[in-house]
């Protein structure tokens, strides 16, 4: 795997005006591979913006370094920055200029000009789907449209690497969907490498090839989603909705005895279910097994033998929320 970004003991301690210190980022080491979407996932205040700001050269580290395509961001900032586009958390555009004028302005800042710039602005406007509104002032745009222009600015100079700092915060679901699809499209169609920060587990789960979990400035987990979830839960959970009439403790004993890998079952009689609206007659059976999908056919066969009807089955894959909870004892949402 070719490495696009390498962080070596990257650290930041802020000094408050009263002289006290905030260790916002503590010796982070990680690599981001070419062509992947890497999510930095962590709650508010974890140090995501500080990390991405150091990687993109906006603020100086107080320790360690970041290497972009092999170039040190502290020692060779120009070479490193040429490879990257940065989309900040806060939209930074000129409200009284049109979308097109904004793109032209930022393109010139990147050193682009003439017909090359004009052509690129056309391409970017089409990509962010704002060709129709290009002549309108930014001040007339919705939050989601501003975000899209902001993304367009980051793409102008055709970077290989894109940094996106919580690009969906504060926008409506429709625009959120567009942003997420855009991120995947940039990887899949343009081979771009993307570092995406978020505090939302679902986004990291949908987008990421690999994930780094950050909490209190420390990288507490790093890997593919499969690697991370495997670390915390060695058992799958299978939720059945069954007709409870045939259930008995003998059946429970038989399941535990005959199904390989099944360690535990929990039975909740009808009326104790939480989300089975309109299906009050159904009981909930939860099974825990080392390999849920392998245990499933045996469980269903034994239930059917005993005359217990199975209405629905769901194998619950462990998720990143479970990883965060296991590592910190807290929910990501808090
Ligand atoms: N300029 C600053 N001066 C002092 N403390 C800061 C500054 N910027 C951020 N912090 C603190 O550093 C920590 C990490 O902040 P940040 O990187 O913004 O986290 P996140 O982006 O994950 O929400 C927080 O405790 C925050 O209050
Ligand atoms: Mg932030």
């Amino acid at each position: 795997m070719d490495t696009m970004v390498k962080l070596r003991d990257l650290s930041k301690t802020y000094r408050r005006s009263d002289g006290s210190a905030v260790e916002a980022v503590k010796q982070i080491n990680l690599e981001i591979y070419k062509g992947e979407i890497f999510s930095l996932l962590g709650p508010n205040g974890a140090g995501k913006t500080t990390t991405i700001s150091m990687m993109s050269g906006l603020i100086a580290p107080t320790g360690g370094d970041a290497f972009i395509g092999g170039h040190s961001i502290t020692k060779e900032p120009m070479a490193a920055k040429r490879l990257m586009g940065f989309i900040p958390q806060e939209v930074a555009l000129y409200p009284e200029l049109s979308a097109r004028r904004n793109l032209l302005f930022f393109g010139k800042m990147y050193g682009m000009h003439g017909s090359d710039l004009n052509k690129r602005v056309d391409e970017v406007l089409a990509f962010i789907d704002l060709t129709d509104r290009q002549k309108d002032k930014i001040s007339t745009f919705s939050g989601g449209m501003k975000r899209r222009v902001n993304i367009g600015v980051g793409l102008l100079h055709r970077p290989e690497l894109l940094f996106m700092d919580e690009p969906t915060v504060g926008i409506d679901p429709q625009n959120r969907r567009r942003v997420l699809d855009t991120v995947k499209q940039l990887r899949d169609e343009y081979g771009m490498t993307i570092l995406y920060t978020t505090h939302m587990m679902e986004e990291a789960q949908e987008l990421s090839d690999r994930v780094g979990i950050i909490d209190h400035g420390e990288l507490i987990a790093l890997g593919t989603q499969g690697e991370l979830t495997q670390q915390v839960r060695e058992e799958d959970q299978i939720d059945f909705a069954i007709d409870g009439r045939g259930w008995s403790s003998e059946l429970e004993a038989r399941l535990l005895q005959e199904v390989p890998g099944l360690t535990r079952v929990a039975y909740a009689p009808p009326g104790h279910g939480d989300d089975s609206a309109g299906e009050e007659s159904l009981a909930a059976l939860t099974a825990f097994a080392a390999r849920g999908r392998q245990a499933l056919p045996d469980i269903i066969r034994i239930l059917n033998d005993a005359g217990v009807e199975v209405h629905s089955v769901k194998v619950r894959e462990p998720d990143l929320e479970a990883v965060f909870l296991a590592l910190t004892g807290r929910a990501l949402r808090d």
Side-chain angles (χ1 to χ4, degrees):
M1 220 89 66
D2 287 345
T3 299
M4 185 78 223
V5 178
K6 194 181 283 197
L7 305 189
R8 282 290 165 261
D9 294 326
L10 190 68
S11 310
K12 181 73 182 184
T13 302
Y14 290 111
R15 290 275 160 206
R16 290 211 193 87
S17 45
D18 65 3
S20 63
V22 185
E23 280 189 83
V25 174
K26 301 172 191 168
Q27 301 197 311
I28 290 191
N29 287 285
L30 64 82
E31 286 181 24
I32 298 172
Y33 305 133
K34 272 193 180 147
E36 76 174 346
I37 299 176
F38 184 99
S39 294
L40 197 57
L41 173 68
N44 287 328
K48 301 181 297 296
T49 296
T50 303
T51 303
I52 209 169
S53 302
M54 289 193 284
M55 292 165 82
S56 50
L58 284 183
I59 62 171
T62 50
D65 206 349
F67 300 87
I68 312 295
H71 303 289
S72 156
I73 190 70
T74 59
K75 299 190 184 70
E76 313 159 73
M78 293 312 279
K81 283 184 189 177
R82 248 195 299 278
L83 300 172
M84 68 171 80
F86 179 59
I87 298 163
Q89 194 162 11
E90 303 297 331
V91 170
L93 299 166
Y94 292 95
E96 291 309 307
L97 295 182
S98 69
R100 185 175 191 91
R101 288 256 164 239
N102 267 278
L103 289 167
L104 288 168
F105 173 82
F106 285 104
K108 282 177 190 149
M109 294 241 301
Y110 286 129
M112 303 168 79
H113 47 78
S115 62
D116 177 46
L117 174 58
N118 261 304
K119 215 175 116 224
R120 183 60 183 160
V121 167
D122 288 339
E123 279 171 19
V124 166
L125 282 165
F127 183 78
I128 58 177
D129 202 12
L130 284 173
T131 304
D132 293 350
R133 298 287 307 267
Q134 60 176 298
K135 296 207 170 111
D136 296 344
K137 282 183 183 179
I138 293 293
S139 57
T140 67
F141 282 14
S142 71
M145 289 163 71
K146 288 180 193 163
R147 281 290 166 139
R148 273 147 63 198
V149 179
N150 220 37
I151 291 174
V153 169
L155 295 174
L156 275 172
H157 63 302
R158 303 183 182 84
E160 287 177 50
L161 168 68
L162 196 61
F163 292 138
M164 304 179 92
D165 193 12
E166 303 221 48
T168 62
V169 167
I171 62 176
D172 59 277
Q174 216 176 336
N175 275 296
R176 167 192 303 271
R177 173 77 352 249
R178 286 181 106 118
V179 169
L180 296 179
D181 289 343
T182 299
V183 173
K184 286 189 275 190
Q185 195 183 353
L186 288 168
R187 176 195 58 189
D188 297 342
E189 290 175 25
Y190 302 90
M192 222 179 239
T193 308
I194 295 151
L195 170 66
Y196 187 98
T197 77
T198 182
H199 68 280
M200 298 203 294
M201 195 266 300
E202 298 84 355
E203 289 193 353
Q205 218 147 263
E206 173 176 344
L207 294 175
S208 319
D209 296 301
R210 290 189 313 133
V211 182
I213 299 181
I214 184 171
D215 189 38
H216 298 306
E218 278 180 86
L219 191 72
I220 57 172
L222 175 68
T224 63
Q225 297 187 52
E227 285 163 357
L228 295 182
T229 50
Q230 227 147 44
Q231 281 173 19
V232 295
R233 207 199 293 174
E234 60 290 0
E235 289 190 329
D236 289 329
Q237 178 179 333
I238 318 168
D239 296 323
F240 298 90
I242 60 172
D243 179 346
R245 276 170 293 192
W247 184 254
S248 64
S249 50
E250 289 78 29
L251 182 54
E252 175 173 345
R254 193 181 155 204
L255 282 169
L256 288 170
Q257 199 168 18
E258 293 184 21
V259 181
L262 186 69
T263 55
R264 196 156 51 92
V265 296
Y267 176 77
H272 288 245
D274 45 346
D275 56 356
S276 51
E279 303 204 71
E280 280 96 49
S281 61
L282 295 180
L285 177 69
T286 308
F288 296 89
R291 287 187 186 78
R293 290 185 193 285
Q294 282 179 22
L296 196 53
D298 285 334
I299 298 174
I300 291 174
R301 179 179 49 77
I302 293 168
L303 290 173
N304 285 340
D305 277 358
V308 173
E309 216 176 304
V310 176
H311 288 255
S312 72
V313 179
K314 201 167 79 196
V315 179
R316 251 200 250 172
E317 311 283 352
D319 60 19
L320 292 173
E321 185 74 51
V323 176
F324 190 81
L325 188 69
L327 291 171
T328 66
R330 286 177 287 120
L332 201 46
R333 303 202 171 281
D334 298 348

